Amino acid sequence: MMLQGKRLLITGVLTRNSIAFSVAKEALRHGAEIMLTSHGRARSLTERSARQLADVPPAVLELDVTRAQDFSQLRTQIEDRWGELSGVLHAIAYAPADALGGDFIATPVASAVEAFTISAFSYNALAGCLAPLLKPGGSIVGLDFDSSRAWPAYNWMGVAKASLESVNRYLARDLGPRGIRANLIAAGPIRSPAARSGFRGFDLLAGAWAESAPLGWDAANAQPIAGAACFLLSDWSSAITGEIVHVDGGHHALALPAGQLPSQGRAD
Ligand SMILES: NC(=O)c1ccc[n+]([C@@H]2O[C@H](COP(=O)([O-])OP(=O)(O)OC[C@H]3O[C@@H](n4cnc5c(N)ncnc54)[C@H](O)[C@@H]3O)[C@@H](O)[C@H]2O)c1
């Protein structure tokens, strides 16, 4: 029970195919108490997912990261219910269609800024809002997609993820002296609601990933990401901060896809 006694806020649960749903499920299995967030019209989907997580469903609090007032209300509500918080999962991203899969160079600045605000700046905003409730030993975890390379179609979401990685380092710098950690998981492709609706060419990418990652990759299974998130939210990662843990089947480590060179990596 790696998370026994922990009180975690988990954002980003939409359906059971959301990565955050798997994290929430695994966190409950490891003994954590959780609350979820949702926003606007997505709330009914999140509430349905909450009912699938536990017989007594976790509370769903309102958080639209584009609304400053939601952050202050969120902090008050957590303070009223729990007083303190042990950890937070940031699993929030969005880019308008013309910033994700459109013409990269011609993307309007407003669309790029929206992608940045919701997908990267919100990590800082959430940390700033909740850090006063986090005890020393508290942990903030975000979900990343490796931004060290340019991907087909990912466009300004890729730029937002590069920003997210940078934000993570600054959060580690500024929250470390208060005993609070900030880490990202760079996940391989998962067939989530966002990936299915927003990312043209996703199936091609996921298929190529499965073939080229040394450990292989199953885009229908977010459990390995959930396990790593629970580790980062637990005391087992007490000296890790500013880190990006790749949970991607090892895809990031190779210059050429696994198995492309003859006899490469074979023990015989
Ligand atoms: N699916 C993948 O292949 C993949 C890979 C690596 C990283 N990620 C990251 O994982 C995280 C979760 O995404 P997912 O793939 O599980 O998809 P998802 O659609 O299940 O989750 C995205 C969440 O962002 C929320 N959101 C969007 N705009 C918001 C706003 N203004 N305020 C508050 N919440 C808002 C949505 O409600 C949703 O819950 C994202 O950061 C995503 O970039 C996804």
Side-chain angles (χ1 to χ4, degrees):
M1 298 288 257
M2 184 166 41
L3 294 172
Q4 192 70 49
K6 300 284 186 197
R7 289 178 152 171
L8 307 177
L9 184 75
I10 297 190
T11 69
V13 173
L14 202 54
T15 72
R16 56 185 309 130
N17 295 319
S18 295
I19 297 175
F21 182 91
S22 295
V23 178
K25 200 170 150 195
E26 196 65 4
L28 287 169
R29 199 171 72 80
H30 281 285
E33 272 183 83
I34 65 168
M35 288 199 275
L36 308 180
T37 69
S38 189
H39 66 114
R41 285 186 305 167
R43 171 173 279 274
S44 60
L45 284 175
T46 306
E47 283 172 347
R48 180 153 52 151
S49 300
R51 290 193 292 275
Q52 291 167 345
L53 279 168
D55 293 340
V56 181
V60 179
L61 309 180
E62 183 71 18
L63 176 65
D64 180 334
V65 296
T66 64
R67 289 162 49 99
Q69 65 269 35
D70 283 9
F71 283 102
S72 44
Q73 282 167 17
L74 178 73
R75 182 158 79 197
T76 306
Q77 284 179 301
I78 296 172
E79 221 166 1
D80 289 348
R81 284 165 190 252
W82 281 348
E84 291 179 329
L85 194 57
S86 321
V88 185
L89 178 79
H90 178 280
I92 293 170
Y94 173 78
D98 56 2
L100 183 58
D103 179 347
F104 179 81
I105 294 172
T107 303
V109 63
S111 300
V113 168
E114 190 174 356
F116 167 80
T117 305
I118 296 178
S119 312
F121 189 81
S122 66
Y123 184 49
N124 174 67
L126 190 64
C129 162
L130 298 179
L133 302 185
L134 287 164
K135 301 174 274 186
S139 170
I140 302 171
V141 175
L143 294 177
D144 183 26
F145 190 68
D146 183 9
S147 80
S148 63
R149 285 167 286 172
W151 300 103
Y154 207 52
N155 293 12
W156 288 92
M157 184 61 91
V159 177
K161 289 301 188 191
S163 301
L164 183 77
E165 292 176 3
S166 185
V167 170
N168 187 57
R169 289 185 282 271
Y170 282 97
L171 289 182
R173 182 194 70 178
D174 290 354
L175 296 177
R178 292 153 70 172
I180 299 168
R181 314 190 300 285
N183 293 290
L184 295 178
I185 292 174
I190 292 292
R191 223 164 256 117
S192 67
R196 290 169 107 156
S197 63
F199 189 178
R200 266 189 289 143
F202 176 85
D203 284 334
L204 215 63
L205 182 74
W209 207 284
E211 280 176 25
S212 55
L215 290 173
W217 183 254
D218 179 1
N221 180 17
Q223 211 283 332
I225 302 164
C230 288
F231 162 71
L232 289 173
L233 289 164
S234 80
D235 296 339
W236 290 86
S237 60
S238 62
I240 300 175
T241 194
E243 189 58 271
I244 301 174
V245 178
H246 290 81
V247 182
D248 65 350
H251 188 277
H252 70 286
L254 304 191
L256 286 176
Q260 200 170 76
L261 296 178
S263 80
Q264 184 188 351
R266 291 219 310 254
D268 52 334

